Each structure stands twice: as structure tokens, then as C-alpha cells.
Amino acid sequence: MEFIRRTLLGITAGLTLVAATACTVTQKDPDYVPPAPLAVLEQLKQAPLADASKYAVGQDLLSFVSADRNVVCSLTSARGEHVNLPYEQNGYADSANNKLATVPVAHCELASYPAPEATDISDTCGGTGLGFLGGVALLTPGRAVYGECRSGVTEQEAEFGPRGTHTGPISELPVLDEGKNLERNGLRCSAYNGGVACGNVSAGVAFFVSRDHYELIHNAGKQGS
């Protein structure tokens, strides 16, 4: 019996050794070059759509933040210069603006961001030429712009900028996972490549924003700054 027991123990140990030494070891290929990110419009065309109900904030309004909390965006509406945002004071609901046409827009704010190029400054800021700052991008069905006239910081900067509190309405918004798309009224936004792209694919108009650079795409896909 002792011989049989020792034999069984030996067989078991041998099988255990075989199982342990037969595992697959994956090594990183030093010559592997990851594919380049898709162009902005191609990303917006191809990326799978996320469940929009998860991002609904109020009536007919979608809002989200990027995974690193650097970008907050809303697929929403505007009346003139008044954009309907759940985290910034605005005059969208003011009855005096009801006469203005309501258009779908995508609006993004950044906590850390590049300055706008001189060719992209689209407002004289009341004729002063001062106060046109980066950190905000706006898409309408036919146009994409980066920067705006303002004094002070945006809510996104206040919450997640260098001196941000990390508390407030933006901190409570859901994250749009990397590579996913959201769509509302013909406009799409996608989190990818370290930032967020928003565009009107059918019109060939879009923007991409991230910590260190931005792109404006217009004229059926021709890239601007």
C-alpha cells in the first residue's frame, strides 16, 4: 500500500509539473508599432454607439466627461449664442430668446488646453480684441470653432483645472468610455486618442480637442488648425 501511495504521489507531482511548465508566456514584440488613430471623421463614422439613456441630463440633452476628467461635453441645443448646458449659467431658457432659431450643437470645455491659433480667433470680443481664450469648442451642423470671449474660468476649469475643487455638477456626470460614440440630432461625439471628437459626419465638419492640441475640420473633411 505504501508503494502504491508513493507511486500515486509521484504521478500527481509529475502532472502538476507538466501543467505548470506548459503555460503560455506572452512577450512584447519590440518591433510592434500600434496603428495610428483614425482620422476624426472616420472615428465618428466607425465607432460603436453607446446607450444614450445613460448620459441623459434633462430633456433632450446628453452630457459626459472623458475618463481623465479633462473634457466635458454636451450634445444639446442653442438659441443664438445661448447654449443649453446643465453646468453653466446661460440664457437659453429666457423667454426673450424664444424668437431665436433652435439648432443642435455639441459643446465641450477643457480643464487643461492649448491656446487658439491666430487664424481661429473668430470674435473681436466687443471690438477690444482681448479675452478670446481657448478651452471651449462648439459645433453647429455647419461649423466648428475653438475658443470664445470670456473673463474668468469655465466650470470645467473650476472643477478640474490646476486649482480645481473636483466637486460640482461636472464631477457627477458619467464617463464616455474610450472608443464609444454618442449621437443626438445628427451630431456625434466620441472619446478617443486622449481627447474628444465631435462632428457632423454628413457635412464633413468636426473638431477634436485634447490637453495639448486641437483640430478643426471643415469643407467636407479638410483639416484646419
Side-chain angles (χ1 to χ4, degrees), residues 129-198:
L130 302 174
F132 192 90
L133 304 175
V136 174
L138 179 69
L139 173 80
T140 64
R143 189 183 182 205
V145 296
Y146 178 75
E148 67 175 8
C149 293
R150 70 173 185 273
S151 59
V153 299
T154 64
E155 180 62 27
Q156 174 67 349
E157 288 180 271
E159 291 190 34
F160 292 101
R163 299 180 180 179
T165 63
H166 288 217
T167 59
I170 293 176
S171 68
E172 300 174 1
L173 295 176
V175 171
L176 181 62
D177 293 332
E178 183 80 3
K180 289 295 182 70
N181 251 336
L182 276 180
E183 184 175 42
R184 175 189 176 272
N185 288 351
L187 305 183
R188 288 187 171 191
C189 286
S190 182
Y192 91 116
N193 195 25
V196 174
C198 295

Side-chain angles (χ1 to χ4, degrees), residues 13-56:
L15 291 174
T16 302
L17 179 61
V18 170
T21 57
C23 62
T24 302
V25 177
T26 302
Q27 293 184 338
K28 187 175 181 180
D29 183 355
D31 298 323
Y32 173 73
V33 178
L38 291 173
V40 171
L41 288 172
E42 284 303 311
Q43 171 69 18
L44 293 169
K45 286 180 184 177
Q46 298 183 27
L49 288 174
D51 179 7
S53 64
K54 177 181 176 181
Y55 304 93

